[in-house]
Amino acid sequence: MKISNRVEAIMASKSVSMVARVGELQKKGIPIISLCVGEPDMPPPEEVMEEMYLAQKRINCGYGPVSGHPALREKLAEQIGKAVKRPIRAENIFISNGSKQIIYNIFQTIINSGDEVIVPSPYWVTFPESIKLAGGKPVFVPCLTTHQLDLSAIRRAIGPSTRAIILNSPNNPTGAIYNTDDIFQILQWAEQFNFAVISDEAYAFLTYDQKTFTSPLTLLKHHDTEDLLNRVLTVQTFSKSYAMTGYRVGFLVASAELVKNMDKFQGHVCGNVCTPAQASAILALTMPQDYFLQMKKTFEKRRNLAHRLFSKIFDLTPAQGAFYLFPRCDQYYTETIKTSDDLANFILEKAQVAVLPGSAFGAEHYLRISFATSEKEIEEGFHRIQKALGERR
């Protein structure tokens, strides 16, 4: 069967492909250490898992509202409104199957053929492909060597076809938290040149060293809330902060008009998100947060360990958030190892450790190393990689 041009034009996710490859090797009995997975290695709280079961007995599990369960939308509106000190309403909340589908929905809803979306790089692997699937054109703007935004380059990239910019802070893959002043400047340009700011905040909870994360929604305080929500589209998920990756519950904070149009679009794609999963999300929001705070402390401890170890063999900027290191790696290139893909494959085959090549994130000469695993695995993975790099030819 002939495959459509739009699907032929996109790349498969290297992170998904690597996870599948690791699974196949482990099934063969090969002791692979996975430092490539982008999800918490601990389960959600017992109560959250139990709620998934109990909800099926307690509530109607037939088709639900496309935009999300009213109780979840209301609770999110209440909590987000308090956090950003703005009157957020349930009509401003849209629920979908993880932030990945939220981002896909956004571009399908606001992008026309030929529209441009500015994508600072390194970027999450799904951003450019979602833009292309909507008929848009990703315009890549490399960040500074500190992994902070390059404002001069972003300003040069803004043109008559610019429809949006997508920001991901804390960033996957770099762990960088973008400077507040830089975000404020982008918001001003968004007003001046009439484009949207999409803020992917999947890792907003996971920040370290008492570093504060700034959501664009907390800026431009003099703006009317609905006008701001028509300009700033905030994407969040229960996957990372609540260790609920498989539940597939993500949400958007945006204008009521955009939510209404996304409802129209999603109604023809998948309809509602799994109702029991939304019930678990409500419980995760409202229960005591001690479990999640401890999870955050665990990740910070692992970050400290991973940085201390891998900075011995790589040029490394400390991760301020998320759960990744993003070291430069081209000092280890040889006549046969010429790219980050080559090096990631060498490490997998020689050290039996899975990491991801920077090319997956638009940043050749880097590797992404996840510390979302045990300290024992981090230490063993480091020693294997250190030994393999010393034996390369």
Side-chain angles (χ1 to χ4, degrees):
M1 179 180 291
K2 181 173 173 55
I3 304 302
S4 69
N5 293 338
R6 63 182 173 278
V7 172
E8 288 280 11
I10 63 174
M11 293 179 59
S13 169
K14 289 187 179 181
S15 58
V16 172
S17 299
M18 179 62 83
V19 170
R21 187 177 175 190
V22 168
E24 291 172 1
L25 292 171
Q26 289 174 334
K27 284 181 181 178
K28 295 178 181 178
I30 300 173
I32 303 295
I33 290 178
S34 179
L35 301 182
C36 69
V37 177
E39 65 176 333
D41 62 319
M42 59 278 287
E46 191 71 33
E47 304 95 308
V48 171
M49 293 189 286
E50 183 72 10
E51 177 66 8
M52 189 82 167
Y53 168 73
L54 295 175
Q56 297 177 63
K57 294 186 172 185
R58 190 180 67 248
I59 61 179
N60 175 21
C61 287
Y63 292 131
V66 172
S67 292
H69 194 288
L72 178 56
R73 297 175 73 194
E74 289 166 6
K75 180 53 65 176
L76 283 168
E78 176 188 337
Q79 290 201 5
I80 294 166
K82 288 179 180 177
V84 303
K85 297 180 173 58
R86 284 186 175 276
I88 306 298
R89 299 173 295 137
E91 291 81 2
N92 300 126
I93 306 295
F94 186 85
I95 311 297
S96 195
N97 291 287
S99 58
K100 182 173 287 192
Q101 189 176 6
I102 290 285
I103 290 166
Y104 177 80
N105 287 357
I106 287 173
F107 291 130
Q108 291 292 329
T109 305
I110 72 170
I111 295 295
N112 287 313
S113 179
D115 284 346
E116 295 180 350
V117 179
I118 295 173
V119 182
S121 62
Y123 49 75
W124 183 40
V125 295
T126 294
F127 290 164
E129 311 314 314
S130 291
I131 294 165
K132 288 188 281 187
L133 283 169
K137 176 186 176 183
V139 178
F140 303 114
V141 179
C143 286
L144 303 170
T145 56
T146 59
H147 301 317
Q148 291 295 322
L149 298 169
D150 185 338
L151 288 185
S152 297
I154 289 173
R155 176 61 188 88
R156 291 193 298 271
I158 298 171
S161 297
T162 301
R163 185 72 177 89
I165 183 172
I166 186 161
L167 305 176
N168 174 213
S169 177
N171 183 262
N172 173 11
T174 67
I177 296 175
Y178 294 151
N179 294 328
T180 299
D181 289 346
D182 293 349
I183 295 172
F184 184 75
Q185 178 60 74
I186 288 170
L187 287 172
Q188 291 182 311
W189 286 334
E191 280 195 297
Q192 181 180 355
F193 299 105
N194 192 31
F195 61 85
V197 176
I198 303 165
S199 181
D200 178 0
E201 302 177 6
Y203 298 92
F205 176 70
L206 298 174
T207 61
Y208 311 123
D209 303 323
Q210 299 181 322
K211 179 76 176 177
T212 57
F213 158 75
T214 302
S215 171
L217 273 185
T218 63
L219 304 175
L220 300 181
K221 292 180 170 45
H222 62 284
H223 281 58
D224 173 77
T225 296
E226 199 65 17
D227 288 344
L228 181 62
L229 292 176
N230 203 42
R231 176 79 59 197
V232 178
L233 316 182
T234 304
V235 182
Q236 258 282 14
T237 177
F238 285 83
S239 293
K240 316 299 183 178
S241 302
Y242 294 96
M244 294 172 63
T245 51
Y247 290 67
R248 310 311 300 139
V249 183
F251 61 92
L252 170 72
V253 187
S255 68
E257 179 187 9
L258 182 61
V259 166
K260 182 179 179 180
N261 280 282
M262 284 186 64
D263 181 287
K264 179 172 63 174
F265 174 74
Q266 185 165 291
H268 293 291
V269 177
C270 64
N272 65 282
V273 172
C274 172
T275 303
Q278 293 186 72
S280 291
I282 295 170
L283 181 60
L285 279 176
T286 56
M287 68 186 292
Q289 299 294 291
D290 300 29
Y291 181 95
F292 307 112
L293 292 169
Q294 183 57 50
M295 183 178 75
K296 178 178 177 178
K297 289 179 181 178
T298 298
F299 280 130
E300 183 160 11
K301 186 179 179 183
R302 292 173 177 177
R303 189 282 310 259
N304 294 341
L305 172 65
H307 182 84
R308 177 173 60 81
L309 292 174
F310 283 98
S311 62
K312 296 177 181 179
I313 58 175
F314 291 118
D315 180 14
L316 191 56
T317 300
Q320 299 171 312
F323 34 63
Y324 311 106
L325 304 180
F326 200 62
R328 191 170 180 99
C329 65
D330 54 330
Q331 68 268 39
Y332 292 107
Y333 289 177
T334 66
E335 289 185 2
T336 56
I337 302 173
K338 299 179 179 180
T339 66
S340 61
D341 287 81
D342 292 341
L343 187 58
N345 284 325
F346 170 81
I347 290 171
L348 180 63
E349 294 167 6
K350 183 74 173 179
Q352 296 184 340
V353 179
V355 298
L356 287 177
S359 62
F361 309 94
E364 184 56 85
H365 310 320
Y366 287 84
L367 296 174
R368 194 190 79 173
I369 300 171
S370 170
F371 51 84
T373 189
S374 69
E375 292 184 32
K376 180 181 178 181
E377 294 266 282
I378 293 169
E379 289 179 342
E380 176 64 20
F382 164 74
H383 290 303
R384 289 190 191 182
I385 292 173
Q386 183 182 44
K387 185 174 185 292
L389 291 177
E391 297 174 352
R392 76 196 187 287
R393 293 291 184 268

